[in-house]
Amino acid sequence: MSYQFTIIVPVFNEKDCLPELFIQLKEYLPKASLSTKILLVDDGSSDGSSELIQQFCLENEHFGCLIFEQNFGKGAALKAAFDHCDTEYLGYLDADLQTYPEDFERLLPLLGEYDLVTGWRKERKDSVVKKISSKVGNGIRIMFTNDQMHDTGCPLKVMKTSYAKKIPMFKGLQRFLPAMILLQNGIITEVEIPHYPRLAGVSKYSFKNRFMGPLLDCFAYVWMKKSYINYKVRSADE
C-alpha cells in the first residue's frame, strides 16, 4: 500500500494509556483524509510499554515501531522517526491522549498552503501549575525564536516530511519545531484544537523541566540558528 501520511507517537512509560491509544488510532485510520500509517517510538520504557507496542504492531496492519535501547528523550524519539519516515507528510501525537487523532483533520487541509501546522490548546485541561509553567516556558521561547506561536508544545502537529528531515538533532527539539521550519524559510500556522484531561498514567513534566529545560534549550537554539545552513541542491547526477 502507498501511504501519504505518517503519524508518529513517542511513548515513554504509558502502559496504562496504550489500550485506548490503540483503539483511537485504529478507529481514525479509515476516516483519515490521507492514506495513513502509524509509527510508535518507544523511548526506553521500563513499564512494559515496549512489549505491548511490539505485539500490537505484529498483529495490526498499518502499524510499525522503533524501540530505543534506553531513554533518550522525546526530541530523540521524534528525530529518529523523522529520519525513518518515507511519506510526503508526517504528524505527531502524544500517547497520553490529551489530544485525539481525529483532530489531525483540522490541520491536514492547511498543508497545501503551509509547511507546518500546529495545534493550539486554547482551553487547557491541565493543573494550574502546569498551565503557569507552560505559559512561562512559552514566553521564554518566543523571546528567543520570535515564532509567535501560542502553544508550540502542543503534541499535535503536521508538517511536510522534506522539512522535518532537515531538522538537526538537539535536546529539546520538540519545543522548536515551528522555529526550525522558519529557519528553512518555511511557512507555519496554528489552529485551535480541543484538549482533554489525561485518562491514565502520570505527566512526565514538572515546573522545573518546563521552565529550566526550555530556558537552557533556547541557548542551544540560538547557537543552532547561527550555525544552521539551509542548503538547496540545484541538480544531482546519480
Side-chain angles (χ1 to χ4, degrees), residues 9-19 21-22 40-57 65-68 95-96 198 201 204:
V9 188
V11 179
F12 177 59
N13 289 343
E14 293 286 6
K15 182 180 179 180
D16 293 339
C17 292
L18 290 180
L21 173 70
F22 295 156
L40 298 148
V41 186
D42 185 81
D43 184 22
S45 293
S46 58
D47 68 343
S49 292
S50 59
E51 290 79 7
L52 283 178
I53 289 169
Q54 287 176 297
Q55 187 61 39
F56 182 81
C57 290
C65 62
L66 300 174
I67 307 296
F68 280 6
D96 61 14
R198 177 182 266 275
K204 311 304 186 294

Side-chain angles (χ1 to χ4, degrees), residues 139-146 176 215 218-219 221-222 225:
I140 292 170
R141 190 206 72 261
I142 289 176
M143 286 193 301
F144 280 84
T145 68
N146 196 33
F176 297 94
L215 178 60
C218 280
F219 290 107
Y221 169 78
V222 169
K225 183 176 180 180

Side-chain angles (χ1 to χ4, degrees), residues 12 20 35 49 54 57 75-76 82 84 114 125 127 147 152 172-173 199 208:
F12 177 59
E20 181 62 24
S35 55
S49 292
Q54 287 176 297
C57 290
F82 293 169
H84 191 78
Y114 297 94
K125 305 300 181 183
S127 67
D147 61 21
T152 191
L173 75 80
L199 297 178
K208 181 179 179 181

Side-chain angles (χ1 to χ4, degrees), residues 16 35 47 78 80 95 98 106 115 122 162 174 192 234:
D16 293 339
S35 55
D47 68 343
L78 290 175
Q98 289 196 259
R106 298 171 184 257
D115 303 305
K122 193 171 182 180
S162 58
Q174 70 272 14
E192 289 185 33
R234 187 178 69 180

Side-chain angles (χ1 to χ4, degrees), residues 6-10 39-41 66 68 74-87 90-92 161 164-165:
T6 300
I7 296 175
I8 297 163
V9 188
L39 180 60
L40 298 148
V41 186
L66 300 174
F68 280 6
K74 182 186 283 188
L78 290 175
K79 176 59 176 171
F82 293 169
D83 292 343
H84 191 78
C85 188
D86 60 0
T87 53
L90 62 81
Y92 94 81
T161 302
K165 285 184 177 293

Side-chain angles (χ1 to χ4, degrees), residues 38-230:
I38 316 295
L39 180 60
L40 298 148
V41 186
D42 185 81
D43 184 22
S45 293
S46 58
D47 68 343
S49 292
S50 59
E51 290 79 7
L52 283 178
I53 289 169
Q54 287 176 297
Q55 187 61 39
F56 182 81
C57 290
L58 284 173
E59 297 172 352
N60 290 271
E61 189 181 7
H62 314 302
F63 285 80
C65 62
L66 300 174
I67 307 296
F68 280 6
E69 63 180 8
Q70 66 185 69
N71 177 238
F72 291 103
K74 182 186 283 188
L78 290 175
K79 176 59 176 171
F82 293 169
D83 292 343
H84 191 78
C85 188
D86 60 0
T87 53
E88 183 176 3
Y89 305 111
L90 62 81
Y92 94 81
L93 172 81
D94 271 1
D96 61 14
L97 285 177
Q98 289 196 259
T99 51
Y100 286 177
E102 63 192 38
D103 289 319
F104 279 119
E105 295 302 312
R106 298 171 184 257
L107 311 185
L108 286 171
L110 297 175
L111 276 179
E113 183 179 356
Y114 297 94
D115 303 305
L116 175 143
V117 186
T118 183
W120 174 14
R121 301 163 293 179
K122 193 171 182 180
E123 301 295 331
R124 296 283 294 268
K125 305 300 181 183
D126 289 322
S127 67
V128 173
V129 171
K130 194 171 181 180
K131 289 179 182 178
I132 293 173
S133 58
S134 292
K135 189 171 183 178
V136 170
N138 198 56
I140 292 170
R141 190 206 72 261
I142 289 176
M143 286 193 301
F144 280 84
T145 68
N146 196 33
D147 61 21
Q148 300 305 315
M149 296 288 102
H150 290 89
D151 187 16
T152 191
C154 178
L156 193 81
K157 291 179 173 63
V158 296
M159 67 191 84
K160 293 175 180 174
T161 302
S162 58
Y163 283 81
K165 285 184 177 293
K166 293 178 69 175
I167 297 174
M169 176 63 219
F170 65 99
K171 187 177 180 182
L173 75 80
Q174 70 272 14
R175 301 184 181 103
F176 297 94
L177 293 175
M180 295 306 299
I181 301 302
L182 290 176
L183 281 185
Q184 300 177 51
N185 300 315
I187 305 173
I188 65 176
T189 192
E190 60 186 352
V191 175
E192 289 185 33
I193 63 166
H195 190 231
Y196 305 95
R198 177 182 266 275
L199 297 178
V202 295
S203 173
K204 311 304 186 294
Y205 295 97
S206 62
F207 183 82
K208 181 179 179 181
N209 60 26
R210 283 184 177 270
F211 177 76
M212 290 306 298
L215 178 60
L216 295 174
D217 292 342
C218 280
F219 290 107
Y221 169 78
V222 169
W223 175 87
M224 185 74 63
K225 183 176 180 180
K226 290 180 178 179
S227 306
Y228 188 75
I229 300 174
N230 184 32

